[in-house]
Amino acid sequence: MLNLPDNTVFNRRIPKQKFYQNLPVSSKIVKLFTDQIDSIHWTHKLAPDTINVDVGPTVSEIQILKIELKSNVLDEHVATLIDREIPYHLVFLVCYQGYGQLWIAYKEAARNREAKFKVDRYYKSDWKPIDELNLTLEGLNLDQVYESILLQIAGDQVAKDEGEELKTALDRSQEVERLKKAMARLEKRMLRERQYNIQVELHGELRKLKKELSRLEERRA
């Protein structure tokens, strides 16, 4: 599965209630677990003893979790709870009726002692037949392997320059996405607006956003 080496296969079932029993989670989250998830399996372990690479400065292991769904919907709050509770970097293989989607979030140690990890937004592959989903393991340490996997799953959602820090690239890509969404909203408002003075004001806001977007894109050139 995922074209990963046989040495990485782990294949252990994790009871889904493990993630909400005895934890201060809302009844809404518990309901999402029970309504959306059929089963969770820890399928692969990427570590120095399974793929013969060194640990990195921040990544010591990467775990692949296969989540079988009861429908083709998984709420991100569920994935986030799992990500925060497991002290390793995770890749989710989300499955439903023979199709799968890969999920990954940028994950880093939280600054406060109460939270174990800070989980950023999720990047997701397209839905495909499970046997068509593949990952290539590239890198000399697990930080580099993790970065490579994230970029494979994110695809054109993230543009990273050579030598650039991954977090910097992710932050910029998210800001570009935010600006494009804001521009689209402004353009729709301009089409609906009938008052000239408000149109002029909206056009000025749009021009500022375009200038900021151009600045971000020029930094990559």
Side-chain angles (χ1 to χ4, degrees):
M1 187 170 63
L2 301 179
N3 199 34
L4 294 174
D6 292 342
N7 286 348
T8 67
V9 174
F10 199 70
N11 200 25
R12 178 181 297 175
R13 186 176 181 275
I14 305 176
K16 60 186 178 182
Q17 59 267 29
K18 176 182 175 66
F19 296 105
Y20 55 80
Q21 282 184 342
N22 305 318
L23 290 174
V25 299
S26 68
S27 58
K28 179 181 177 181
I29 294 294
V30 173
K31 190 173 189 305
L32 289 173
F33 264 93
T34 57
D35 289 352
Q36 295 183 353
I37 295 179
D38 184 54
S39 65
I40 302 174
H41 284 83
W42 179 1
T43 63
H44 295 78
K45 171 184 172 182
L46 309 182
D49 61 337
T50 64
I51 58 173
N52 195 31
V53 298
D54 295 331
V55 298
T58 60
V59 183
S60 59
E61 291 184 11
I62 303 168
Q63 315 296 351
I64 313 293
L65 295 188
K66 182 181 179 183
I67 301 178
E68 288 283 356
L69 300 178
K70 295 180 179 179
S71 69
N72 64 343
V73 175
L74 178 64
D75 192 288
E76 287 192 7
H77 290 91
V78 173
T80 300
L81 177 62
I82 296 172
D83 238 332
R84 286 176 176 166
E85 285 304 312
I86 295 181
Y88 299 108
H89 290 74
L90 303 183
V91 177
F92 295 107
L93 172 57
V94 179
C95 302
Y96 178 65
Q97 293 188 345
Y99 283 77
Q101 185 182 40
L102 292 167
W103 290 31
I104 190 171
Y106 183 75
K107 184 173 179 177
E108 56 186 339
R111 294 180 181 178
N112 62 69
R113 294 183 179 180
E114 295 180 1
K116 297 176 182 178
F117 284 95
K118 178 184 175 184
V119 179
D120 207 339
R121 64 163 285 185
Y122 281 94
Y123 296 95
K124 305 169 187 177
S125 71
D126 294 331
W127 283 94
K128 294 181 179 180
I130 292 174
D131 59 3
E132 292 183 13
L133 289 169
N134 295 292
L135 289 174
T136 301
L137 304 183
E138 297 178 347
L140 300 178
N141 63 45
L142 282 167
D143 279 57
Q144 294 176 6
V145 173
Y146 175 70
E147 177 179 310
S148 172
I149 289 174
L150 189 149
L151 293 174
Q152 288 174 62
I153 294 173
D156 59 8
Q157 298 173 76
V158 177
K160 181 180 177 295
D161 295 332
E162 185 176 352
E164 183 179 33
E165 292 289 334
L166 177 60
K167 186 65 166 64
T168 302
L170 295 175
D171 289 344
R172 186 186 61 251
S173 296
Q174 291 180 28
E175 179 63 9
V176 166
E177 181 180 345
R178 185 193 68 80
L179 288 171
K180 288 181 177 179
K181 288 180 178 178
M183 288 165 56
R185 288 194 298 268
L186 276 176
E187 288 169 348
K188 288 181 180 179
R189 285 184 61 190
M190 289 173 63
L191 290 174
R192 295 194 303 265
E193 185 56 55
R194 293 293 179 263
Q195 295 187 43
Y196 176 73
N197 61 325
I198 297 180
Q199 283 186 339
V200 171
E201 181 181 338
L202 293 175
H203 189 269
E205 293 179 22
L206 181 61
R207 187 168 59 248
K208 289 178 183 178
L209 292 178
K210 286 182 176 179
K211 184 177 180 180
E212 179 64 15
L213 179 61
S214 177
R215 182 185 67 80
L216 288 174
E217 292 177 337
E218 284 176 359
R219 286 174 60 184
R220 290 201 64 250

